[in-house]
Amino acid sequence: MRVCVCTIVHHPEDARILHRQIRSLLDAGHEVTYIAPFRACNVTPWREISPVDVPRAAGRKRLRALRAAHRALEEHSAYADLVLLHDPELLISLPRSVRNRTVVWDVHEDTAAALVAKGWVPGPVRPLLRPLVRRLETRGERRHRLLLAEEGYRERFREPHPVVPNTTFVADLPPAPPDDRRIVYVGHLSEARGALDMIEMARLLAPEGVMVELIGAADPQIRPHLREAQREGVLRWYGFVPNDRALRIAEGAMAGLALLHDEPNYRHSMPTKIVEYMARGVPVITTPNPPAVAIVEPAGSGIVVPFGDPAAAADAVRKLRADAELRTGLGKRGYEAARARYHWPVHAEPFVSQLEEWAGRSPAAV
């Protein structure tokens, strides 16, 4: 099977797109053409894929990227049995030649709800965009196949669609126990994701010898705050690091942070970073978003702190630092729960099989 994968919004080394979905397709013997902003993100494509470079859609600068994606899809989808799209705006720019092919939209987020947290969308415009996004989703469902990243997204659509959850790879052997020196965060840094709270928490903990390490790209309005905190020596900001390497940095940390704010898009989206911390035996400190609580509390893998409260998050760190038995137990239980429930290979086979079915191909017909 030949699959044409396209994103103009996500980083080309996005964990869901590259490290899980594309990796699974390649392992199953399928061919992948990957349309993504490689040069814009300074990424060298994997040798196993056929890369096609396009500009990146960022903020309000999206038209050039959409036009480039339109041309690339028109050219390269002709050789594909299936087209896999990862951005809702690509549904608008699909060439006519592609619309008659098997097109799959991978629904990563609640797009309408996510607009509230997008700093580049003017506040007065957000309520006007929501009905337009809902209509786009309705049209996308009518014309194409859908994969959902969350069970909670089902209610947005009329028909049932398969769910491919954001899980992770969990090692066969338990990781080393957590230390008492480092706190980590892996993921995009924005105000809604708690970036300013983590910076303030770092300032509270730095005099006590605790280092906060933030691993991920940051929104433009957050970058000056991060640079200032780095100059003060209270945290380390790595910038974007590919997911596999970022998680190796996180291994052995005293805690992993998931201080999301109480935003509509987060109320029914599983924070993948929580599962990634657990898979590496890192205790979790999270705010009380329902999906986060539903993972951490039954697993006994972390501490829940109030929204927007850096002092409470710092107190949770102090609690872990003072009690080696507590942090070791949280890390051990988190690893065991991740291995039992959130190991990506369990979901990889159904994902690949579903695409094969939609493309009308058997695993041998590649």
Side-chain angles (χ1 to χ4, degrees):
M1 177 174 70
R2 297 179 179 88
V3 182
C4 181
V5 181
C6 184
T7 181
I8 56 173
V9 173
H10 298 278
H11 193 283
E13 292 185 300
D14 178 89
R16 177 177 176 86
I17 299 173
L18 183 67
H19 292 279
R20 290 194 278 274
Q21 294 188 356
I22 290 179
R23 178 77 270 163
S24 298
L25 288 166
L26 293 172
D27 288 346
H30 299 300
E31 298 177 16
V32 175
T33 297
Y34 189 17
I35 302 170
F38 295 102
R39 279 187 289 185
C41 297
N42 195 28
V43 167
T44 301
W46 287 356
R47 292 181 179 180
E48 304 101 306
I49 65 172
S50 298
V52 180
D53 184 63
V54 290
R56 191 176 192 185
R60 301 177 193 178
K61 298 178 180 179
R62 307 178 99 75
L63 186 58
R64 178 167 167 259
L66 280 168
R67 287 174 172 167
H70 179 97
R71 293 191 297 269
L73 285 166
E74 189 168 39
E75 178 180 356
H76 295 282
S77 66
Y79 310 103
D81 300 300
L82 181 142
V83 177
L84 179 57
L85 305 178
H86 287 276
D87 317 320
E89 45 264 76
L90 291 172
L91 299 173
I92 303 172
S93 64
L94 276 181
R96 289 186 180 275
S97 59
V98 179
R99 294 174 193 171
N100 296 324
R101 308 188 71 80
T102 301
V103 175
V104 179
W105 171 30
D106 188 24
V107 183
H108 286 228
E109 64 180 2
D110 184 340
T111 309
L115 289 172
V116 176
K118 303 290 187 186
W120 57 270
V121 180
V125 177
R126 292 171 190 171
L128 302 177
L129 287 178
R130 287 184 181 183
L132 296 177
V133 170
R134 293 302 188 206
R135 283 200 289 272
L136 176 64
E137 290 181 341
T138 299
R139 189 177 72 172
E141 181 183 27
R142 190 170 60 248
R143 294 182 175 180
H144 310 303
R145 307 284 191 172
L146 270 61
L147 293 173
L148 310 182
E150 301 281 349
E151 290 284 348
Y153 296 165
R154 290 186 185 276
E155 62 188 32
R156 287 159 50 197
F157 300 99
R158 296 173 62 91
E159 302 295 330
H161 302 284
V163 174
V164 177
N166 274 326
T167 55
T168 189
F169 292 92
V170 186
D172 296 337
L173 298 176
D179 63 29
D180 62 353
R181 300 179 304 278
R182 297 183 303 131
I183 307 299
V184 298
Y185 170 86
V186 177
H188 190 81
L189 289 152
S190 67
E191 185 172 358
R193 293 171 186 259
L196 298 180
D197 300 329
M198 290 186 283
I199 292 170
E200 180 57 29
M201 187 190 73
R203 291 195 171 102
L204 294 173
L205 292 171
E208 302 172 35
V210 176
M211 177 57 66
V212 174
E213 299 183 335
L214 307 179
I215 308 167
D219 282 354
Q221 61 269 34
I222 297 297
R223 292 170 199 161
H225 299 281
L226 290 167
R227 294 188 186 108
E228 181 181 357
Q230 282 208 120
R231 285 194 294 270
E232 295 171 18
V234 301
L235 60 76
R236 296 190 188 104
W237 175 38
Y238 289 80
F240 178 85
V241 177
N243 185 255
D244 54 344
R245 296 206 292 273
L247 294 174
R248 284 200 293 272
I249 295 171
E251 287 178 3
M254 179 174 21
L257 300 173
L259 304 183
L260 298 174
H261 288 187
D262 187 17
E263 298 285 351
N265 188 41
Y266 302 145
R267 291 173 194 157
H268 47 69
S269 296
M270 182 182 81
T272 308
K273 60 178 59 60
I274 287 180
V275 174
E276 291 174 333
Y277 298 149
M278 290 166 54
R280 282 144 188 91
V282 176
V284 178
I285 297 175
T286 179
T287 46
N289 280 294
V293 173
I295 296 171
V296 169
E297 288 193 343
S301 61
I303 299 173
V304 180
V305 298
F307 291 110
D309 194 338
D315 284 341
V317 172
R318 295 184 183 106
K319 183 177 180 180
L320 290 173
R321 196 180 195 200
D323 192 338
E325 186 176 345
L326 172 63
R327 63 178 184 265
T328 299
L330 293 174
K332 181 175 182 293
R333 290 191 294 273
Y335 165 78
E336 291 170 349
R339 181 69 186 179
R341 303 174 203 164
Y342 303 111
H343 190 31
W344 166 250
V346 174
H347 306 283
E349 185 176 346
F351 160 71
V352 173
S353 297
Q354 183 64 80
L355 295 193
E356 289 169 347
E357 178 186 329
W358 282 338
R361 293 296 187 103
S362 68
V366 296

